[in-house]
Amino acid sequence: VCHVSTTYEEDMMLIKIFNEVDTDRSGEIDEDEFLVLCGKLGLTSRAEALSHFAVLDVDKSGTVDFEEFIEWWPMYGKLFAAAQTDDLTLIRVFNEVDTDRSGEIDTEEFLALCTRLGVTSTEEALGYFAEVDTDGSGKST
């Protein structure tokens, strides 16, 4: 098993998240389950989510197993952990990050969030922001 995480607690959280997403308990995440996960992460474009799924499904089986999932964890998992699959928590986190209370998260607020989540590379954080700033406005809702 290739572990991306560094602690027992993070390993257990990965297992918990995977099991929550794998609603049919097949031991694999299918496209529909992945789309639900992406929605919780704020990735609402079906085409973009399916594009991520295609990359994530390394063995092209049409499903994502735990090994493939944990390889994906460093890019999106920390945002998922912040939301903890709970929409109210996601709203709370959004409101906490939206420090100017504009109803949008701008680049500066997003960079602050990434720093809190351990993303130390500004370039990497801006890459993540570009994925959620779908209209190029420099803001995300």
Side-chain angles (χ1 to χ4, degrees):
V1 173
C2 172
H3 290 281
V4 175
S5 59
T6 58
T7 66
Y8 173 78
E9 290 81 15
E10 193 171 20
D11 286 344
M12 296 312 297
M13 184 172 48
L14 280 169
I15 292 167
K16 179 181 181 229
I17 292 168
F18 184 88
N19 288 334
E20 285 177 9
V21 174
D22 179 24
T23 57
D24 66 3
R25 303 293 178 246
S26 66
E28 299 175 321
I29 297 171
D30 62 29
E31 282 185 359
D32 291 335
E33 291 166 330
F34 187 74
L35 289 171
V36 170
L37 170 63
C38 287
K40 290 181 179 185
L41 288 171
L43 181 60
T44 57
S45 164
R46 179 180 172 82
E48 189 174 347
L50 291 177
S51 172
H52 283 279
F53 185 84
V55 171
L56 185 57
D57 181 17
V58 176
D59 65 3
K60 305 303 178 209
S61 65
T63 60
V64 173
D65 63 23
F66 188 69
E67 291 294 319
E68 292 165 322
F69 179 77
I70 63 174
E71 290 297 321
W72 175 78
W73 178 255
M75 189 181 329
Y76 289 101
K78 290 181 180 182
L79 293 175
F80 184 85
Q84 295 181 20
T85 71
D86 180 339
D87 292 338
L88 294 176
T89 300
L90 183 57
I91 292 167
R92 182 186 56 75
V93 169
F94 182 92
N95 289 335
E96 187 178 314
V97 172
D98 181 23
T99 56
D100 65 3
R101 304 293 178 245
S102 65
E104 300 174 313
I105 296 175
D106 61 30
T107 308
E108 184 179 316
E109 292 165 332
F110 190 81
L111 289 173
L113 170 65
C114 287
T115 299
R116 285 178 43 200
L117 294 173
V119 178
T120 56
S121 164
T122 301
E123 183 179 336
E124 180 181 6
L126 289 174
Y128 296 147
F129 188 75
E131 292 185 30
V132 296
D133 180 20
T134 55
D135 65 0
S137 67
K139 298 180 180 189
S140 180
T141 56

